[in-house]
Amino acid sequence: MSLRIVVCVKYVPDATGDRHFAEDLTVDRDDVDGLLSELDEYAVEQALQIADEADDAEITVLTVGPEDAKDALRKALSMGAHKAVHVEDDDLHGTDVMGTSLVLAKAVEHVGYDLVVCGMASTDGGMGVLPALLAERLGVPQVSLLSQVAVEDGKVTGRRDGDAATEQLEAALPAVVSVTDQSGEARYPSFKGIMAAKKKPVESLDLSDLGIEADEVGLDGAWTKVDSAAERPARTAGTIVKDEGEGGKQLAEFLAGQKFV
Amino acid sequence: MAEVLVYVDHVDGAVRKPTLELLTLARRIGEPVAVHLGAGAEEAAKVLGEHGAVKVLTADAAEFADYLVVPKVDALQAAYEAVNPAAVLVPSSAEGKEIAARLALRIGGGLITDAVDLEAGDEGPVATQSVFAASYSTKSRVTKGTPVITVKPNSAAPEAAPAAGTVEQLSVTFGELATGTKVVSRTPRESTGRPELTEAAIVVSGGRGVNGAENFPLIEALADSLGGAVGASRAAVDAGWYPHTNQVGQTGKSVSPQLYIAAGISGAIQHRAGMQTSKTIVAINKDEEAPIFELVDYGVVGDLFEVVPQLTDEIKARKG
Ligand SMILES: Cc1cc2nc3c(=O)[nH]c(=O)nc-3n(C[C@H](O)[C@H](O)[C@H](O)COP(=O)(O)OP(=O)(O)OC[C@H]3O[C@@H](n4cnc5c(N)ncnc54)[C@H](O)[C@@H]3O)c2cc1C
Ligand SMILES: Cc1cc2nc3c(=O)[nH]c(=O)nc-3n(C[C@H](O)[C@H](O)[C@H](O)COP(=O)(O)OP(=O)(O)OC[C@H]3O[C@@H](n4cnc5c(N)ncnc54)[C@H](O)[C@@H]3O)c2cc1C
């Protein structure tokens, strides 16, 4: 029986660009180029490796995001995923994490799945909670923040490097996993992969296809509200000295002046 | 006064500092009721009471250790139902955030993660978040249900505020999902004797410029002279020079100490994301164009192999 893998990927503003908020205090997506969240490349990579080990597996990449988010799907398809699902709807603008997890859960169910693979966190919101929410909504085990993952005999196993300990985890499929950037470098798409991606199917869904009401998502449906966003004042220029043999002592003097010594 | 649930992060009853910070913040919006899961409630209750917990709800069960996250969510939900609080505060660790998220969904309350400050507001608690690698500061609040908010370490100073800290047993029924993810084995991390990275008042980090695991003792010696923790950039971690658990940055730990010293670190955006809220920032780098110098209060352009040992010796000399 085929192993159905769904990989959640997010389209985010490039972190090396100058990111801003728009007037309605949502992320300004016109200002900076978007891309597939780098941390989701690790999720795609692990899905590809799991699929390689399975007799027969199909990988669907899934995103919730605006028109441009197709770029993220294309990148994942060019890495080797088989098909893509794009949930886009004007009413999604300003959705918070509760709404996003609702849409992703419905979309995952729509696609059909044995395993959902996510990144550890997006590089914009960076909450790192979506995989847990998805597991809660789907009613399946969460096996999150894995630096190593494998699927065998209807079970997913993995290693979680926590603050206090390293844990070896195990759960029966279906399950939701998330993988960290310690799980292994993501492959670059090959030229062949890029060409092949152009022919792979991308299914577009809107809220009504998923049976979600407009007021469950978007700015109005959000359970949280951003009241203000202020750019942090640039740090005032500090003192910079060139070491001419006394740099360490000068620094010690500074630290003593600040009462650190 | 409204009660505020505070989830206790502890090791066998030894309460970790971020929880005491939460109690300080909780008192701005109500009366803290602490939730302690696992062993050591009596020991913890003393410290929690000293910091303002009027009550400590406790439950102990093998499930908390044997299965991932969900048993703790079940218990926190039981506490929520017993208390009907005005807000729930959880420390912003990886596990803390997952617990908070699942609880928020179950109780139909909005979730805010990684708050760096918290105030009472007319329409409920107002949380400050530091976002986009600390280039923006936002103020947010929850508009639906009971607010569930996770707070980063070092967001407030723990304050003494003697309260009863009476221990009460919490009765928890585990749901079907509680035993979904089994913890097959657990290898505790060895203690280095240094302060916890995220809680430390001083952090000294080394990067690619340290040029080898054999040179990290230089960084450790400086940290030890200041009583600080040791951090590392991802380049140093990926090269295998220092453990991943010490990585500072977007995919490592996020730190907010009084003093951050970066040696041989260029200051890439992903590194800055984890340290830019530090109060005082110092860098040692031989490249005067390194982006880290844009952030510093004090920078030394120089070879870390010269500057760091001299600095360490000078600090030791001054401390006598
Ligand atoms: C700076 C900032 C702060 C925010 N703070 C809050 C907050 O406190 N509370 C709140 O409710 N909302 C918040 N949001 C909104 C929230 O980030 C979005 O709703 C987002 O879609 C989900 O959260 P995340 O990306 O942080 O998820 P994370 O939990 O960080 O993402 C983990 C993984 O989930 C998957 N994933 C996440 N989003 C998508 C998607 N759209 N499509 C496909 N896969 C996805 C990816 O695999 C990703 O790696 C914030 C947004 C920003 C930009
Ligand atoms: C998705 C993603 C997540 C990431 N997460 C993180 C993260 O969590 N943390 C993180 O740190 N990075 C992270 N990175 C990597 C980040 O982009 C940088 O590559 C990394 O921070 C560089 O580390 P570095 O500054 O030590 O090395 P480099 O950028 O190579 O800088 C080394 C510096 O050392 C200086 N130097 C060399 N020799 C000496 C000497 N003898 N004396 C003084 N100075 C010297 C050099 O001038 C240079 O400035 C992430 C990247 C991505 C894409």
Side-chain angles (χ1 to χ4, degrees):
Chain A
M1 234 204 44
S2 166
L3 180 70
R4 297 165 301 167
I5 306 175
V6 179
V7 187
C8 296
V9 297
K10 192 175 181 186
Y11 179 74
V12 298
D14 187 345
T16 59
D18 213 359
R19 292 174 292 180
H20 288 290
F21 283 92
E23 229 159 87
D24 65 355
L25 301 178
T26 61
V27 178
D28 188 339
R29 294 180 187 276
D30 300 327
D31 219 30
V32 187
D33 287 343
L35 43 74
L36 167 62
S37 176
E38 284 153 313
L39 295 172
D40 290 339
E41 290 181 13
Y42 295 89
V44 176
E45 177 62 38
Q46 289 308 312
L48 290 167
Q49 290 189 20
I50 290 166
D52 278 347
E53 293 294 314
D55 292 337
D56 175 21
E58 183 179 57
I59 302 174
T60 306
V61 285
L62 164 66
T63 197
V64 175
E67 165 76 29
D68 293 348
K70 284 200 172 60
D71 289 357
L73 295 174
R74 285 281 168 227
K75 170 93 186 262
L77 289 172
S78 65
M79 288 172 71
H82 302 106
K83 61 191 180 77
V85 172
H86 183 189
V87 186
E88 60 178 321
D89 196 311
D90 289 343
D91 289 326
L92 282 167
H93 177 79
T95 305
D96 70 355
V97 77
M98 290 304 174
T100 305
S101 65
L102 171 69
V103 178
L104 283 172
K106 295 271 189 188
V108 163
E109 278 169 340
H110 168 92
V111 172
Y113 71 102
D114 301 298
L115 181 71
V116 180
V117 186
C118 296
M120 64 186 286
S122 73
T123 60
D124 60 346
M127 299 179 74
V129 299
L130 205 121
L133 287 172
L134 207 45
E136 178 77 33
R137 288 205 187 261
L138 294 169
V140 302
Q142 79 168 74
V143 197
S144 52
L145 297 172
L146 302 180
S147 52
Q148 228 173 48
V149 58
V151 172
E152 219 176 352
D153 304 330
K155 277 189 312 206
V156 51
T157 57
R159 193 180 81 206
R160 173 165 164 134
D161 290 313
D163 277 349
T166 291
E167 293 165 336
Q168 210 63 44
L169 305 176
E170 180 185 294
L173 296 181
V176 174
V177 316
S178 73
V179 300
T180 72
D181 60 336
Q182 298 290 302
S183 59
E185 274 307 307
R187 70 195 64 184
Y188 286 105
S190 63
F191 178 72
K192 210 173 118 218
I194 294 168
M195 296 315 287
K198 298 193 171 152
K199 298 200 198 79
K200 291 178 178 172
V202 178
E203 182 186 7
S204 274
L205 300 173
D206 63 15
L207 289 174
S208 64
D209 294 325
L210 297 174
I212 298 171
E213 301 294 330
D215 63 6
E216 292 179 89
V217 295
L219 269 181
D220 292 339
W223 298 9
T224 52
K225 183 173 189 308
V226 182
D227 284 328
S228 69
E231 213 160 346
R232 268 169 77 102
R235 293 183 80 102
T236 43
T239 309
I240 296 186
V241 300
K242 234 187 161 78
D243 178 36
E244 276 155 1
E246 299 282 292
K249 287 188 182 153
Q250 285 167 289
L251 182 45
E253 183 65 33
F254 169 79
L255 295 178
Q258 304 281 315
K259 307 260 182 298
F260 289 119
V261 180
Chain B
M1 199 152 67
E3 290 174 309
V4 176
L5 276 191
V6 172
Y7 180 81
V8 177
D9 188 6
H10 69 98
V11 183
D12 295 330
V15 180
R16 291 181 54 181
K17 187 163 146 265
T19 301
L20 305 181
E21 296 168 14
L22 286 196
L23 291 171
T24 300
L25 295 174
R27 282 189 289 111
R28 296 185 188 164
I29 46 182
E31 276 191 335
V33 172
V35 181
H36 176 105
L37 305 179
E42 292 295 333
E43 183 192 338
K46 223 175 124 261
V47 181
L48 295 167
E50 282 163 10
H51 290 83
V54 295
K55 208 167 23 183
V56 179
L57 300 176
T58 184
D60 195 2
E63 279 84 350
F64 296 134
D66 294 350
Y67 299 91
L68 194 72
V69 175
V70 188
K72 293 175 179 164
V73 182
D74 287 349
L76 196 54
Q77 185 180 10
Y80 168 84
E81 280 157 9
V83 169
N84 191 22
V88 182
L89 306 184
V90 182
S92 258
S93 61
E95 186 188 45
K97 288 204 277 189
E98 294 182 331
I99 293 171
R102 298 185 74 135
L103 176 78
L105 182 57
R106 286 187 189 183
I107 66 175
L111 172 74
I112 293 174
T113 55
D114 294 322
V116 296
D117 199 6
L118 199 61
E119 295 292 338
D122 295 341
E123 294 158 296
V126 177
T128 306
Q129 284 169 295
S130 180
V131 308
F132 290 161
S135 62
Y136 271 91
S137 178
T138 60
K139 286 194 190 298
S140 308
R141 66 200 153 78
V142 164
T143 51
K144 184 170 175 289
T146 304
V148 179
I149 301 173
T150 79
V151 182
K152 280 197 182 187
N154 284 338
S155 296
E159 285 165 12
T166 322
V167 180
E168 282 179 27
Q169 283 300 319
L170 181 66
S171 114
V172 183
T173 320
F174 295 114
E176 222 177 287
L177 278 178
T179 52
T181 309
K182 193 168 172 30
V183 179
V184 181
S185 70
R186 175 178 288 118
T187 317
R189 212 164 294 298
E190 258 177 65
S191 167
T192 59
R194 298 195 177 88
E196 190 63 39
L197 187 55
T198 54
E199 300 168 17
I202 296 179
V203 175
V204 182
S205 291
R208 202 194 303 271
V210 174
N211 201 24
E214 67 280 11
N215 300 324
F216 254 85
L218 271 183
I219 304 295
E220 292 178 330
L222 175 55
D224 291 344
S225 74
L226 291 161
V230 178
S233 74
R234 178 160 142 185
V237 167
D238 283 355
W241 303 341
Y242 223 66
H244 173 62
T245 39
N246 294 71
Q247 181 177 316
V248 171
Q250 186 192 2
T251 54
K253 299 274 162 57
S254 160
V255 302
S256 199
Q258 295 299 318
L259 172 65
Y260 188 80
I261 303 181
I265 293 178
S266 61
I269 186 81
Q270 297 88 357
H271 187 79
R272 291 156 75 142
M275 49 66 75
Q276 204 157 350
T277 53
S278 305
K279 306 293 176 299
T280 299
I281 299 175
V282 167
I284 301 156
N285 195 305
K286 67 179 181 190
D287 173 13
E288 63 182 321
E289 305 284 328
I292 191 88
F293 284 127
E294 292 162 19
L295 305 179
V296 299
D297 296 282
Y298 197 94
V300 180
V301 180
D303 187 340
L304 72 90
F305 293 100
E306 306 287 332
V307 178
V308 170
Q310 189 181 68
L311 173 61
T312 308
D313 287 346
E314 185 68 18
I315 291 167
K316 283 194 201 149
R318 282 174 186 255
K319 286 194 165 169

